[in-house]
Amino acid sequence: TSQKIKVDFDQSTGVAVMHMQSPPVNSLSLEFLTDVCIALEKLEMDKSCRGLVVTSSQPKVFSAGLDILDMYGKSPEHCAEFWKAVQEMWLKFYGSNMITIAAVNGSSPAGGCLLSMTCDYRIMADNPRYSIGLNETKLGIVAPFWFKDTMVNTVGHRATEMALQLGLLYSPAEALKIGLVDQLVHEDQVLTTATETMTKWLAIPDHARQLTKSMMRKPTIDKLAANREADVNNFVKFITKDSIQKSLGCIWRCLREERL
Ligand code: CO8
């Protein structure tokens, strides 16, 4: 596997832990998304692997979301390839047969929030410096329908409507209140709590749980699966617009200038 993903598989419990270690902030680049998908596919095919915990090895950040540089100043062809990889990640995680738990041990904006929402359960570090949410509108971009669907399925229609229009980033306490995360624990306890929670989920017979998960998620998954090409075309058309490229340029400069 790639160096940006470390997978620890415990044969005795059937649980794997996927550590994202793509410095500095686990941004979801084309390359990283591809690595993540390959790692997930391997685990999915291994019948002895029943559960997966996803976490970050980077301090303070779970994932910074989609890599700006895969969308800014790139050719339409590159943008299309990138978007296919984003779709692929979502389809694989949201449709996983495994029990998936996100150990959100840092900030998780935009695509990072999406990744955590594809999991069956979210545990977040109780540190008020961290935030989570789909903040796209604040960046002048629009979360696609399947980002929206995933959030509706997680926190309901009204909370999503507010969250998406305002591009809200929630503190851990606020995220817990609206159900965007399921549990808050001290920073040091995120991974151990994920393992403990996994034990509870493992007690449920796989076949019954998997059919139930599929029943809940299949309509949402089918909607994108049946429209992938149109969704790619939409994305490319949108992201290559001058005005959107300008916004992305602002975001990029802001991120950099913060350091000066
Ligand atoms: N992509 C690429 N590089 C990034 C990103 C990113 N998303 N985020 C941060 N970086 C880089 C920074 O430029 C910086 O680089 P360098 O060290 O070389 O200067 C480095 O990572 C560290 O960043 P910070 O100094 O900001 O680190 P902090 O620990 O202070 O903060 C955060 C970490 C909170 C994650 C912060 O970096 C942040 O808020 N990042 C931006 C997050 C964001 O807004 N992402 C949105 C991406 S868009 C998306 O995911 C969905 C888009 C849907 C598309 C819809 C179109 C149709």
Side-chain angles (χ1 to χ4, degrees), residues 7-10 13-18 43 49 51-54 198:
V7 177
D8 295 326
F9 181 47
D10 184 339
T13 57
V15 177
V17 181
M18 184 188 282
L43 296 170
C49 184
L52 171 67
V53 174
V54 184
M198 190 59 88

Side-chain angles (χ1 to χ4, degrees), residues 10 12-16 50-53 99-101 121 123 191-206 209:
D10 184 339
S12 67
T13 57
V15 177
R50 298 177 57 206
L52 171 67
V53 174
I99 302 156
T100 52
I101 297 182
Y121 195 83
I123 298 158
L191 206 48
T192 49
T193 308
T195 310
E196 285 164 18
T197 307
M198 190 59 88
T199 310
K200 263 198 282 182
W201 286 67
L202 286 166
I204 308 299
D206 272 332
R209 189 194 49 76

Side-chain angles (χ1 to χ4, degrees), residues 24-25 64 66-68 110-111 135-136 139 142 238 255-256 259:
V25 290
L66 304 189
D67 197 302
I68 303 286
N135 56 320
E136 279 80 352
L139 308 173
V142 180
F238 179 78
L255 280 170
R256 312 235 105 201
R259 320 213 93 205

Side-chain angles (χ1 to χ4, degrees), residues 41 50 77 93 101 132 152 166 187 190 229 234 241:
E41 206 163 283
R50 298 177 57 206
E77 292 74 23
F93 272 93
I101 297 182
I132 183 167
V152 168
L166 294 171
E187 230 157 329
V190 178
E229 214 180 301
N234 268 340
K241 276 186 189 162

Side-chain angles (χ1 to χ4, degrees), residues 134-152:
L134 295 181
N135 56 320
E136 279 80 352
T137 54
K138 267 207 189 114
L139 308 173
I141 54 181
V142 180
F145 72 88
W146 42 285
F147 283 48
K148 176 266 294 173
D149 288 343
T150 310
M151 189 159 196
V152 168

